[in-house]
Amino acid sequence: MNAIISAPDLAGALSGPRPPVLLDIRWQLSVAKAAGEPLFDGRAAYEAGHIPGAVFVDLDRELASAPGGNGRHPLPDLEVFGAAMRRAGVSADRPVVVYDGGQGWAAARAWWLLRWAGHPDVRVLDGGLAAWEGPLRTAAVPEPAEGDFSPVPGALPLLDADAAGALARSGVLFDARAGERYRGEVEPIDRVGGHIPGAVSAPTAENTGPDGRFLPAEELAARFRALGAAEGREVGVYCGSGVSAAHEVLALAVAGIPAALYVGSWSEWSSDPSRPVAVGPDPQ
């Protein structure tokens, strides 16, 4: 099954006999709080215009637990996550399509969680809301019938801190953050800059074109192979807090390369002073 869907194909599916459940995951990584600026309001953006039939899902409250020792976006409580998905109409036997404002990170987080929790048919709208050419709704907030989805975790591979550190030595661990954060030149959020020793810089932004859509599968596969994802080699991904890394896991899936996600990511790794930190362009 393809992990992404084009806007025209989504329009056709929504008008078909078995339309997918549609989830709007509007969210942005923001350091505005530190600057005294208002935080991005995903629900307000949703209410200002969303694809007809879409239900808003809050990434920070429903797709993650509260920040803490396990990172800024730890795995959500399964009861909270399951209840949010059922409220949105998600059932085990009905396809799901997720989208966000265009960057794709938040939608990929929802895609990964649903797939990890056992849903068999989830796709991300390629290019996000910006790719949608149909009408948008404002006042009409849907109230779908309750779904029956019950999370059963483990369908996708997951890394903790120890496993991520080991994989950086035994396989290939991609760091999906911007290169300057990987090198430790800047660190706007976490305690210290740098990367997990052995990790390879592979910024998520390089998986998409100027329009926000994923590069063709063959181009993605060539990119990841050049970075070390050889056939038969175990692959993992991390980022700052397990959101943009989910987008890279999605890009790898489009390329036909299975990969594990380190959800705690740098926000967890760097919070422990006993864990090693590498800086500069060299993985080690």
Side-chain angles (χ1 to χ4, degrees), residues 21 23 55-59 61-65 75-92 96 110 113-119 144-153:
V21 174
L23 306 181
V55 177
F56 178 73
V57 175
D58 190 309
L59 186 150
R61 294 178 175 85
E62 296 171 324
L63 304 183
S65 298
L75 288 173
D77 178 273
L78 286 179
E79 290 189 6
V80 172
F81 173 61
M85 294 299 97
R86 290 189 293 273
R87 171 190 59 81
V90 175
S91 291
V96 178
L113 274 171
L114 280 164
R115 293 288 294 112
W116 170 77
H119 198 290
E146 184 88 357
D148 65 10
F149 178 68
S150 293
V152 180

Side-chain angles (χ1 to χ4, degrees), residues 159-174 196-200 227-237 260 269 283-284:
L159 300 172
D160 61 12
D162 289 342
L167 181 59
R169 297 186 297 272
S170 64
V172 58
L173 181 66
F174 289 138
I196 297 173
V200 176
L227 290 170
E231 186 174 353
R233 197 176 189 196
E234 188 177 355
V235 177
V237 188
W269 183 276
Q284 303 302 328

Side-chain angles (χ1 to χ4, degrees), residues 131-149:
W132 179 254
E133 297 181 352
L136 298 178
R137 293 281 176 85
T138 53
V141 177
E143 296 182 2
E146 184 88 357
D148 65 10
F149 178 68

Side-chain angles (χ1 to χ4, degrees), residues 22-186:
L22 193 56
L23 306 181
D24 183 310
I25 325 287
R26 222 77 66 86
W27 175 88
Q28 287 183 10
L29 176 65
S30 176
V31 293
K33 187 175 182 180
E37 301 173 6
L39 295 174
F40 175 79
D41 188 336
R43 181 172 288 279
Y46 165 82
E47 292 175 351
H50 55 269
I51 298 175
V55 177
F56 178 73
V57 175
D58 190 309
L59 186 150
D60 290 316
R61 294 178 175 85
E62 296 171 324
L63 304 183
S65 298
N70 292 325
R72 278 192 306 281
H73 291 103
L75 288 173
D77 178 273
L78 286 179
E79 290 189 6
V80 172
F81 173 61
M85 294 299 97
R86 290 189 293 273
R87 171 190 59 81
V90 175
S91 291
D93 63 349
R94 188 175 172 191
V96 178
V97 173
V98 294
Y99 72 90
D100 57 25
Q103 192 175 36
W105 295 3
R109 171 73 175 216
W111 166 83
W112 185 89
L113 274 171
L114 280 164
R115 293 288 294 112
W116 170 77
H119 198 290
D121 191 350
V122 189
R123 288 176 288 177
V124 171
L125 174 59
D126 195 16
L129 187 63
W132 179 254
E133 297 181 352
L136 298 178
R137 293 281 176 85
T138 53
V141 177
E143 296 182 2
E146 184 88 357
D148 65 10
F149 178 68
S150 293
V152 180
L156 293 183
L158 175 67
L159 300 172
D160 61 12
D162 289 342
L167 181 59
R169 297 186 297 272
S170 64
V172 58
L173 181 66
F174 289 138
D175 184 317
R177 298 172 300 160
E180 58 268 26
R181 291 185 70 190
Y182 169 87
R183 295 188 295 271
E185 297 167 357
V186 298

